[in-house]
Amino acid sequence: MPTEPNRRMPLEGLTIAVVGAGRIGSELIRNLGLMGIGRIDVFEREPHLADPLRSRYTVYEGDFWDTLSLGRLEAYDCAIAAVDNLEARLRLNQMCQIAGVDLVNAG
């Protein structure tokens, strides 16, 4: 379906949780920001990876299963897993299924 050249997708109203800010996560966060996503919250357990993101995004430190409750997860339109740990991916998948939030696995 063709779109009008000056018409923007309604991305400003989206709220996305990104779990992991390593190589894939940091690039993904940057690209989401450039796309005009309304709110991007970052969950990262390594402080040195999260520090450069603090000026533009809300960053939560620690393991996401300690900082991201089901109630908070339900407020997101989408969650993105950018972690290299299988257990973390499986846990986030379970949490998203329970909360009814779409999950995208990156990497």
Side-chain angles (χ1 to χ4, degrees), residues 9-78:
M9 294 177 63
L11 301 175
E12 301 87 17
L14 292 179
T15 303
I16 296 180
V18 178
V19 179
R23 288 182 187 159
I24 292 173
S26 61
E27 189 67 22
L28 179 72
I29 292 162
R30 183 183 73 82
N31 287 331
L32 290 171
L34 291 172
M35 288 172 53
I37 300 296
R39 180 181 172 128
I40 302 167
D41 290 348
V42 180
F43 295 84
E44 174 56 56
R45 72 178 182 170
E46 300 289 336
H48 70 280
L49 294 175
D51 286 341
L53 303 170
R54 291 186 193 286
S55 63
R56 289 197 60 191
Y57 308 104
T58 303
V59 177
Y60 299 93
E61 278 186 37
D63 288 325
F64 74 88
W65 49 78
D66 294 332
T67 56
L68 183 60
S69 66
L70 283 176
R72 180 183 283 172
L73 184 58
E74 289 173 342
Y76 293 103
D77 296 302
C78 175

Side-chain angles (χ1 to χ4, degrees), residues 16-20 28 32 78-83 92 102-106:
I16 296 180
V18 178
V19 179
L28 179 72
L32 290 171
C78 175
I80 300 176
V83 294
L92 184 57
D102 292 327
L103 174 66
V104 176
N105 273 306

